Amino acid sequence: MIINKTKTIGLIGTLALTLQAYSIAGPKEKPLTVAEASGFTATSTHAQVLSFIQDLRRMSPNLKVETMAQTVEGRPVPLLILGRPGPKSPDTFRLGNDPRLIIYIQANIHAGEVEGKEACLMLARDILLDPKLPYLDKLVVLIAPDFNPDGNDKISPANRRQQPGPEKGVGVRPNGQNLDLNRDGMKLETPEVRGLVENVLNRWDPALVVDCHTTNGFYHEEPVTYVGPLNPNGDPQIIEFMRDKMLPAVAGRLEKDYGTLSMPYGDPHDMTDLSKGLETDAYQPRFLTNYVGLRNRLAILDENYVYADYKTRVLACYSFLRAILDDCLQNSQTIKDLVRQADERAAGRFGSAAPSSLFHTSFELQPLPDKITFQGFEQEVTLREGTFPLIKKTDRKKTYTVDYYARVVPKSSVRFPWGYFLTSRDPSLLAILRTHGLTVERLTQPVKAPVESFRTTELRPAERLFQGHWMNKIKGVYASEEREFPAGTLFVTTAQPLGNLAACLLEPESDDGLAVWNFFDRVLVPEWGRSYEPFPVFRVLRPLTMPKETIWRKD
Ligand SMILES: [Zn+2]
């Protein structure tokens, strides 16, 4: 039986909220999510999410809750920590004193894509309260069910109207700053993604990150689609493991054990002709699953099928998350070994054999060697003069076996350096490097060093604002020089586990780096004249001994 009750809770010691919450009568019964309690016609407000978490806390000693971020509209973003016993602190994992694998699942990053939020709440409840589930003793599961509370609470039936349900509406895509959280992986301008990086990735260091979304796609039968990290500047073995081993295994379990079909994520190469294949071109690290890949960790982008009804989407997402956890239980040691070795490979990338001795600056998509199969429908296409073709789905089912353009191939590269001198003293530079968790050093005495400088020849802003930025297109030439760097100059080595990330942020020609995101605009362009100031990042192409001190280190 469902009752409405009004109550006041003090959540996580920060906010007291008056909540209008759905709950089920009887203290011993499992609480229902808003999706379940409403007969799959509604999704939770953030207050209802917090209330549900409170119910779980009352019912289980194996749930801890941290606040991973505070949104600009003042809402806390709760992070659920599930495990029996509850982990004392992240340090016990770093020191090797707790053998459990840590997995992090987040949902509702785009708050119109709500089924992940409901599935995550169901999953947290069932892990904690259903004795038949095997995860609680063997894994530490971190869950952020509502990663975008400000977007979530703008629930309206007018949002995402192409999506069949929930009929009472869903939230909006951006956060409270009108920013897309899934484009913020590099510039870290949102409290939600800063919280993710600092309080989840740096602090808990999960081996696997799952990010739950809904497609905007075409018609097929599979309710779940998925893809792993794609960026070739990340560890190639992580990319291959996810693509060739883990995700096919999870898809197999999902069908066999949970009766749910799935397929690799992608959009049609040509909307008018599905036989031309699918592609996924979102390979830059601004997309969070690619960002996690750059950090040598596993990541899964879960994209549930938009045209499935709400209940199907929630239950399919729930099953997908279960299948992922099942796989992690079975392959826990393999995953731990893989990420540890990826850290070592990244820290040792400088000076290793080609092609890992190259940093890639531009890319093209090519099909993978193996085709993929999905259960689609025949389409009727009417070409129209001067506008998009009219595409109608028919009821005639059709199995498509097609090329899958998900191999991101480098088109241009530069030598991967040993490190970077940073001559900009703008405090925002040190701040963002610290937030990402990079080790940063500083010269204690002046140093004359052979470096490669980048001379900007052309700097053009994009024609359209994107995420509040006129993103730069930068051209230039490299030159070798001896240069004196004063005491106090910052130095970032790539010989650290996050070395791949350091390069993606700092390389002058990085396609998603700080230069592109306008961090160096003030430094690059003088007040007068048409020339450019020296690019404030100098590439160091061989190891140097120099007097320096560590000013920031994550651990
Ligand atoms: Zn999305």
PDB file of all heavy atoms in Angstrom, residues 430-456:
ATOM      1  N   LEU A 430      46.976  25.827 -11.972  1.00  0.00           N
ATOM      2  CA  LEU A 430      47.339  24.893 -10.909  1.00  0.00           C
ATOM      3  C   LEU A 430      46.089  24.259 -10.311  1.00  0.00           C
ATOM      4  O   LEU A 430      46.040  23.062 -10.028  1.00  0.00           O
ATOM      5  CB  LEU A 430      48.142  25.612  -9.823  1.00  0.00           C
ATOM      6  CG  LEU A 430      48.551  24.750  -8.620  1.00  0.00           C
ATOM      7  CD1 LEU A 430      49.382  23.547  -9.051  1.00  0.00           C
ATOM      8  CD2 LEU A 430      49.312  25.573  -7.590  1.00  0.00           C
ATOM      9  N   ALA A 431      45.043  25.062 -10.168  1.00  0.00           N
ATOM     10  CA  ALA A 431      43.806  24.556  -9.547  1.00  0.00           C
ATOM     11  C   ALA A 431      43.218  23.401 -10.354  1.00  0.00           C
ATOM     12  O   ALA A 431      42.828  22.372  -9.792  1.00  0.00           O
ATOM     13  CB  ALA A 431      42.791  25.686  -9.408  1.00  0.00           C
ATOM     14  N   ILE A 432      43.184  23.545 -11.669  1.00  0.00           N
ATOM     15  CA  ILE A 432      42.538  22.471 -12.436  1.00  0.00           C
ATOM     16  C   ILE A 432      43.418  21.223 -12.484  1.00  0.00           C
ATOM     17  O   ILE A 432      42.927  20.098 -12.446  1.00  0.00           O
ATOM     18  CB  ILE A 432      42.118  22.954 -13.842  1.00  0.00           C
ATOM     19  CG1 ILE A 432      41.168  21.915 -14.448  1.00  0.00           C
ATOM     20  CG2 ILE A 432      43.296  23.193 -14.770  1.00  0.00           C
ATOM     21  CD1 ILE A 432      40.403  22.385 -15.636  1.00  0.00           C
ATOM     22  N   LEU A 433      44.737  21.412 -12.512  1.00  0.00           N
ATOM     23  CA  LEU A 433      45.617  20.236 -12.502  1.00  0.00           C
ATOM     24  C   LEU A 433      45.474  19.474 -11.187  1.00  0.00           C
ATOM     25  O   LEU A 433      45.434  18.241 -11.157  1.00  0.00           O
ATOM     26  CB  LEU A 433      47.074  20.669 -12.718  1.00  0.00           C
ATOM     27  CG  LEU A 433      47.363  21.334 -14.069  1.00  0.00           C
ATOM     28  CD1 LEU A 433      48.789  21.870 -14.096  1.00  0.00           C
ATOM     29  CD2 LEU A 433      47.131  20.377 -15.235  1.00  0.00           C
ATOM     30  N   ARG A 434      45.356  20.213 -10.104  1.00  0.00           N
ATOM     31  CA  ARG A 434      45.152  19.581  -8.797  1.00  0.00           C
ATOM     32  C   ARG A 434      43.834  18.842  -8.744  1.00  0.00           C
ATOM     33  O   ARG A 434      43.752  17.729  -8.223  1.00  0.00           O
ATOM     34  CB  ARG A 434      45.158  20.647  -7.701  1.00  0.00           C
ATOM     35  CG  ARG A 434      46.525  21.140  -7.335  1.00  0.00           C
ATOM     36  CD  ARG A 434      46.442  22.290  -6.372  1.00  0.00           C
ATOM     37  NE  ARG A 434      45.884  21.876  -5.091  1.00  0.00           N
ATOM     38  CZ  ARG A 434      46.229  22.415  -3.927  1.00  0.00           C
ATOM     39  NH1 ARG A 434      47.126  23.388  -3.901  1.00  0.00           N
ATOM     40  NH2 ARG A 434      45.705  22.009  -2.818  1.00  0.00           N
ATOM     41  N   THR A 435      42.785  19.486  -9.240  1.00  0.00           N
ATOM     42  CA  THR A 435      41.477  18.846  -9.177  1.00  0.00           C
ATOM     43  C   THR A 435      41.477  17.529  -9.956  1.00  0.00           C
ATOM     44  O   THR A 435      40.897  16.536  -9.518  1.00  0.00           O
ATOM     45  CB  THR A 435      40.387  19.788  -9.729  1.00  0.00           C
ATOM     46  OG1 THR A 435      40.458  21.013  -9.012  1.00  0.00           O
ATOM     47  CG2 THR A 435      39.003  19.195  -9.566  1.00  0.00           C
ATOM     48  N   HIS A 436      42.154  17.525 -11.094  1.00  0.00           N
ATOM     49  CA  HIS A 436      42.233  16.280 -11.861  1.00  0.00           C
ATOM     50  C   HIS A 436      43.035  15.208 -11.122  1.00  0.00           C
ATOM     51  O   HIS A 436      43.004  14.042 -11.493  1.00  0.00           O
ATOM     52  CB  HIS A 436      42.886  16.538 -13.225  1.00  0.00           C
ATOM     53  CG  HIS A 436      41.940  17.076 -14.263  1.00  0.00           C
ATOM     54  ND1 HIS A 436      40.937  16.327 -14.820  1.00  0.00           N
ATOM     55  CD2 HIS A 436      41.845  18.288 -14.848  1.00  0.00           C
ATOM     56  CE1 HIS A 436      40.265  17.047 -15.714  1.00  0.00           C
ATOM     57  NE2 HIS A 436      40.790  18.246 -15.749  1.00  0.00           N
ATOM     58  N   GLY A 437      43.804  15.600 -10.124  1.00  0.00           N
ATOM     59  CA  GLY A 437      44.570  14.618  -9.353  1.00  0.00           C
ATOM     60  C   GLY A 437      45.991  14.413  -9.843  1.00  0.00           C
ATOM     61  O   GLY A 437      46.651  13.448  -9.464  1.00  0.00           O
ATOM     62  N   LEU A 438      46.468  15.347 -10.692  1.00  0.00           N
ATOM     63  CA  LEU A 438      47.827  15.218 -11.220  1.00  0.00           C
ATOM     64  C   LEU A 438      48.860  15.655 -10.182  1.00  0.00           C
ATOM     65  O   LEU A 438      48.626  16.590  -9.418  1.00  0.00           O
ATOM     66  CB  LEU A 438      47.985  16.095 -12.463  1.00  0.00           C
ATOM     67  CG  LEU A 438      47.232  15.572 -13.688  1.00  0.00           C
ATOM     68  CD1 LEU A 438      47.041  16.683 -14.697  1.00  0.00           C
ATOM     69  CD2 LEU A 438      48.005  14.416 -14.309  1.00  0.00           C
ATOM     70  N   THR A 439      49.985  14.981 -10.199  1.00  0.00           N
ATOM     71  CA  THR A 439      51.112  15.430  -9.396  1.00  0.00           C
ATOM     72  C   THR A 439      51.771  16.617 -10.112  1.00  0.00           C
ATOM     73  O   THR A 439      52.064  16.545 -11.301  1.00  0.00           O
ATOM     74  CB  THR A 439      52.134  14.288  -9.223  1.00  0.00           C
ATOM     75  OG1 THR A 439      51.495  13.242  -8.505  1.00  0.00           O
ATOM     76  CG2 THR A 439      53.369  14.755  -8.479  1.00  0.00           C
ATOM     77  N   VAL A 440      51.954  17.710  -9.362  1.00  0.00           N
ATOM     78  CA  VAL A 440      52.545  18.925  -9.935  1.00  0.00           C
ATOM     79  C   VAL A 440      53.784  19.286  -9.111  1.00  0.00           C
ATOM     80  O   VAL A 440      53.745  19.247  -7.880  1.00  0.00           O
ATOM     81  CB  VAL A 440      51.539  20.098  -9.907  1.00  0.00           C
ATOM     82  CG1 VAL A 440      52.140  21.332 -10.572  1.00  0.00           C
ATOM     83  CG2 VAL A 440      50.236  19.712 -10.589  1.00  0.00           C
ATOM     84  N   GLU A 441      54.866  19.631  -9.810  1.00  0.00           N
ATOM     85  CA  GLU A 441      56.100  20.020  -9.130  1.00  0.00           C
ATOM     86  C   GLU A 441      56.446  21.465  -9.482  1.00  0.00           C
ATOM     87  O   GLU A 441      55.836  22.060 -10.379  1.00  0.00           O
ATOM     88  CB  GLU A 441      57.237  19.079  -9.540  1.00  0.00           C
ATOM     89  CG  GLU A 441      56.983  17.641  -9.092  1.00  0.00           C
ATOM     90  CD  GLU A 441      57.925  16.651  -9.734  1.00  0.00           C
ATOM     91  OE1 GLU A 441      57.857  16.480 -10.965  1.00  0.00           O
ATOM     92  OE2 GLU A 441      58.729  16.050  -9.009  1.00  0.00           O
ATOM     93  N   ARG A 442      57.439  21.988  -8.763  1.00  0.00           N
ATOM     94  CA  ARG A 442      57.846  23.393  -8.968  1.00  0.00           C
ATOM     95  C   ARG A 442      59.358  23.481  -8.850  1.00  0.00           C
ATOM     96  O   ARG A 442      59.952  22.853  -7.957  1.00  0.00           O
ATOM     97  CB  ARG A 442      57.171  24.256  -7.901  1.00  0.00           C
ATOM     98  CG  ARG A 442      57.538  25.717  -7.945  1.00  0.00           C
ATOM     99  CD  ARG A 442      56.601  26.534  -7.075  1.00  0.00           C
ATOM    100  NE  ARG A 442      56.575  26.054  -5.696  1.00  0.00           N
ATOM    101  CZ  ARG A 442      55.596  26.320  -4.832  1.00  0.00           C
ATOM    102  NH1 ARG A 442      54.547  27.039  -5.204  1.00  0.00           N
ATOM    103  NH2 ARG A 442      55.634  25.868  -3.605  1.00  0.00           N
ATOM    104  N   LEU A 443      59.970  24.244  -9.764  1.00  0.00           N
ATOM    105  CA  LEU A 443      61.424  24.425  -9.693  1.00  0.00           C
ATOM    106  C   LEU A 443      61.776  25.204  -8.433  1.00  0.00           C
ATOM    107  O   LEU A 443      61.130  26.201  -8.116  1.00  0.00           O
ATOM    108  CB  LEU A 443      61.929  25.186 -10.921  1.00  0.00           C
ATOM    109  CG  LEU A 443      61.789  24.487 -12.277  1.00  0.00           C
ATOM    110  CD1 LEU A 443      62.361  25.378 -13.381  1.00  0.00           C
ATOM    111  CD2 LEU A 443      62.485  23.134 -12.267  1.00  0.00           C
ATOM    112  N   THR A 444      62.809  24.744  -7.753  1.00  0.00           N
ATOM    113  CA  THR A 444      63.265  25.487  -6.575  1.00  0.00           C
ATOM    114  C   THR A 444      64.426  26.418  -6.930  1.00  0.00           C
ATOM    115  O   THR A 444      64.793  27.287  -6.148  1.00  0.00           O
ATOM    116  CB  THR A 444      63.716  24.517  -5.470  1.00  0.00           C
ATOM    117  OG1 THR A 444      64.639  23.585  -6.030  1.00  0.00           O
ATOM    118  CG2 THR A 444      62.535  23.774  -4.894  1.00  0.00           C
ATOM    119  N   GLN A 445      65.039  26.188  -8.099  1.00  0.00           N
ATOM    120  CA  GLN A 445      66.090  27.080  -8.604  1.00  0.00           C
ATOM    121  C   GLN A 445      65.882  27.256 -10.099  1.00  0.00           C
ATOM    122  O   GLN A 445      65.229  26.418 -10.727  1.00  0.00           O
ATOM    123  CB  GLN A 445      67.465  26.452  -8.374  1.00  0.00           C
ATOM    124  CG  GLN A 445      67.885  26.433  -6.909  1.00  0.00           C
ATOM    125  CD  GLN A 445      69.162  25.628  -6.719  1.00  0.00           C
ATOM    126  OE1 GLN A 445      70.036  25.618  -7.598  1.00  0.00           O
ATOM    127  NE2 GLN A 445      69.266  24.955  -5.599  1.00  0.00           N
ATOM    128  N   PRO A 446      66.458  28.316 -10.690  1.00  0.00           N
ATOM    129  CA  PRO A 446      66.335  28.466 -12.138  1.00  0.00           C
ATOM    130  C   PRO A 446      66.982  27.280 -12.848  1.00  0.00           C
ATOM    131  O   PRO A 446      67.975  26.731 -12.368  1.00  0.00           O
ATOM    132  CB  PRO A 446      67.104  29.756 -12.451  1.00  0.00           C
ATOM    133  CG  PRO A 446      67.293  30.443 -11.140  1.00  0.00           C
ATOM    134  CD  PRO A 446      67.242  29.400 -10.077  1.00  0.00           C
ATOM    135  N   VAL A 447      66.392  26.899 -13.978  1.00  0.00           N
ATOM    136  CA  VAL A 447      66.916  25.757 -14.745  1.00  0.00           C
ATOM    137  C   VAL A 447      66.971  26.142 -16.216  1.00  0.00           C
ATOM    138  O   VAL A 447      66.021  26.721 -16.753  1.00  0.00           O
ATOM    139  CB  VAL A 447      65.992  24.529 -14.559  1.00  0.00           C
ATOM    140  CG1 VAL A 447      66.257  23.477 -15.631  1.00  0.00           C
ATOM    141  CG2 VAL A 447      66.163  23.916 -13.179  1.00  0.00           C
ATOM    142  N   LYS A 448      68.131  25.853 -16.839  1.00  0.00           N
ATOM    143  CA  LYS A 448      68.238  26.026 -18.284  1.00  0.00           C
ATOM    144  C   LYS A 448      68.069  24.636 -18.895  1.00  0.00           C
ATOM    145  O   LYS A 448      68.792  23.709 -18.532  1.00  0.00           O
ATOM    146  CB  LYS A 448      69.608  26.619 -18.637  1.00  0.00           C
ATOM    147  CG  LYS A 448      69.647  27.185 -20.026  1.00  0.00           C
ATOM    148  CD  LYS A 448      70.851  28.105 -20.191  1.00  0.00           C
ATOM    149  CE  LYS A 448      70.715  28.826 -21.516  1.00  0.00           C
ATOM    150  NZ  LYS A 448      71.908  29.472 -21.934  1.00  0.00           N
ATOM    151  N   ALA A 449      67.105  24.487 -19.775  1.00  0.00           N
ATOM    152  CA  ALA A 449      66.776  23.133 -20.230  1.00  0.00           C
ATOM    153  C   ALA A 449      66.465  23.134 -21.722  1.00  0.00           C
ATOM    154  O   ALA A 449      65.921  24.105 -22.253  1.00  0.00           O
ATOM    155  CB  ALA A 449      65.564  22.616 -19.450  1.00  0.00           C
ATOM    156  N   PRO A 450      66.817  22.028 -22.393  1.00  0.00           N
ATOM    157  CA  PRO A 450      66.407  21.864 -23.790  1.00  0.00           C
ATOM    158  C   PRO A 450      64.929  21.485 -23.840  1.00  0.00           C
ATOM    159  O   PRO A 450      64.509  20.521 -23.204  1.00  0.00           O
ATOM    160  CB  PRO A 450      67.286  20.703 -24.274  1.00  0.00           C
ATOM    161  CG  PRO A 450      67.613  19.921 -23.048  1.00  0.00           C
ATOM    162  CD  PRO A 450      67.561  20.865 -21.879  1.00  0.00           C
ATOM    163  N   VAL A 451      64.149  22.248 -24.566  1.00  0.00           N
ATOM    164  CA  VAL A 451      62.696  21.996 -24.634  1.00  0.00           C
ATOM    165  C   VAL A 451      62.213  22.173 -26.064  1.00  0.00           C
ATOM    166  O   VAL A 451      62.932  22.708 -26.918  1.00  0.00           O
ATOM    167  CB  VAL A 451      61.897  22.974 -23.727  1.00  0.00           C
ATOM    168  CG1 VAL A 451      62.160  22.696 -22.262  1.00  0.00           C
ATOM    169  CG2 VAL A 451      62.202  24.425 -24.080  1.00  0.00           C
ATOM    170  N   GLU A 452      61.008  21.749 -26.283  1.00  0.00           N
ATOM    171  CA  GLU A 452      60.352  22.030 -27.551  1.00  0.00           C
ATOM    172  C   GLU A 452      59.245  23.037 -27.268  1.00  0.00           C
ATOM    173  O   GLU A 452      58.381  22.797 -26.418  1.00  0.00           O
ATOM    174  CB  GLU A 452      59.768  20.748 -28.132  1.00  0.00           C
ATOM    175  CG  GLU A 452      59.371  20.880 -29.581  1.00  0.00           C
ATOM    176  CD  GLU A 452      59.035  19.525 -30.191  1.00  0.00           C
ATOM    177  OE1 GLU A 452      58.009  18.950 -29.804  1.00  0.00           O
ATOM    178  OE2 GLU A 452      59.797  19.050 -31.041  1.00  0.00           O
ATOM    179  N   SER A 453      59.332  24.167 -27.950  1.00  0.00           N
ATOM    180  CA  SER A 453      58.294  25.182 -27.762  1.00  0.00           C
ATOM    181  C   SER A 453      57.294  25.090 -28.911  1.00  0.00           C
ATOM    182  O   SER A 453      57.587  24.528 -29.967  1.00  0.00           O
ATOM    183  CB  SER A 453      58.925  26.578 -27.716  1.00  0.00           C
ATOM    184  OG  SER A 453      59.604  26.830 -28.927  1.00  0.00           O
ATOM    185  N   PHE A 454      56.120  25.650 -28.680  1.00  0.00           N
ATOM    186  CA  PHE A 454      55.079  25.671 -29.708  1.00  0.00           C
ATOM    187  C   PHE A 454      54.802  27.131 -30.030  1.00  0.00           C
ATOM    188  O   PHE A 454      54.442  27.901 -29.145  1.00  0.00           O
ATOM    189  CB  PHE A 454      53.817  24.978 -29.176  1.00  0.00           C
ATOM    190  CG  PHE A 454      52.696  24.890 -30.171  1.00  0.00           C
ATOM    191  CD1 PHE A 454      52.698  23.914 -31.159  1.00  0.00           C
ATOM    192  CD2 PHE A 454      51.631  25.780 -30.123  1.00  0.00           C
ATOM    193  CE1 PHE A 454      51.661  23.820 -32.077  1.00  0.00           C
ATOM    194  CE2 PHE A 454      50.587  25.698 -31.040  1.00  0.00           C
ATOM    195  CZ  PHE A 454      50.599  24.713 -32.016  1.00  0.00           C
ATOM    196  N   ARG A 455      55.042  27.510 -31.295  1.00  0.00           N
ATOM    197  CA  ARG A 455      54.785  28.898 -31.696  1.00  0.00           C
ATOM    198  C   ARG A 455      53.451  28.946 -32.418  1.00  0.00           C
ATOM    199  O   ARG A 455      53.289  28.372 -33.489  1.00  0.00           O
ATOM    200  CB  ARG A 455      55.900  29.397 -32.607  1.00  0.00           C
ATOM    201  CG  ARG A 455      57.228  29.411 -31.856  1.00  0.00           C
ATOM    202  CD  ARG A 455      58.295  30.215 -32.545  1.00  0.00           C
ATOM    203  NE  ARG A 455      59.533  30.038 -31.794  1.00  0.00           N
ATOM    204  CZ  ARG A 455      60.710  29.823 -32.349  1.00  0.00           C
ATOM    205  NH1 ARG A 455      60.848  29.797 -33.669  1.00  0.00           N
ATOM    206  NH2 ARG A 455      61.784  29.667 -31.596  1.00  0.00           N
ATOM    207  N   THR A 456      52.524  29.624 -31.797  1.00  0.00           N
ATOM    208  CA  THR A 456      51.184  29.720 -32.384  1.00  0.00           C
ATOM    209  C   THR A 456      51.257  30.554 -33.659  1.00  0.00           C
ATOM    210  O   THR A 456      51.836  31.646 -33.668  1.00  0.00           O
ATOM    211  CB  THR A 456      50.221  30.397 -31.374  1.00  0.00           C
ATOM    212  OG1 THR A 456      50.341  29.721 -30.124  1.00  0.00           O
ATOM    213  CG2 THR A 456      48.793  30.362 -31.853  1.00  0.00           C
TER     214      THR A 456
END
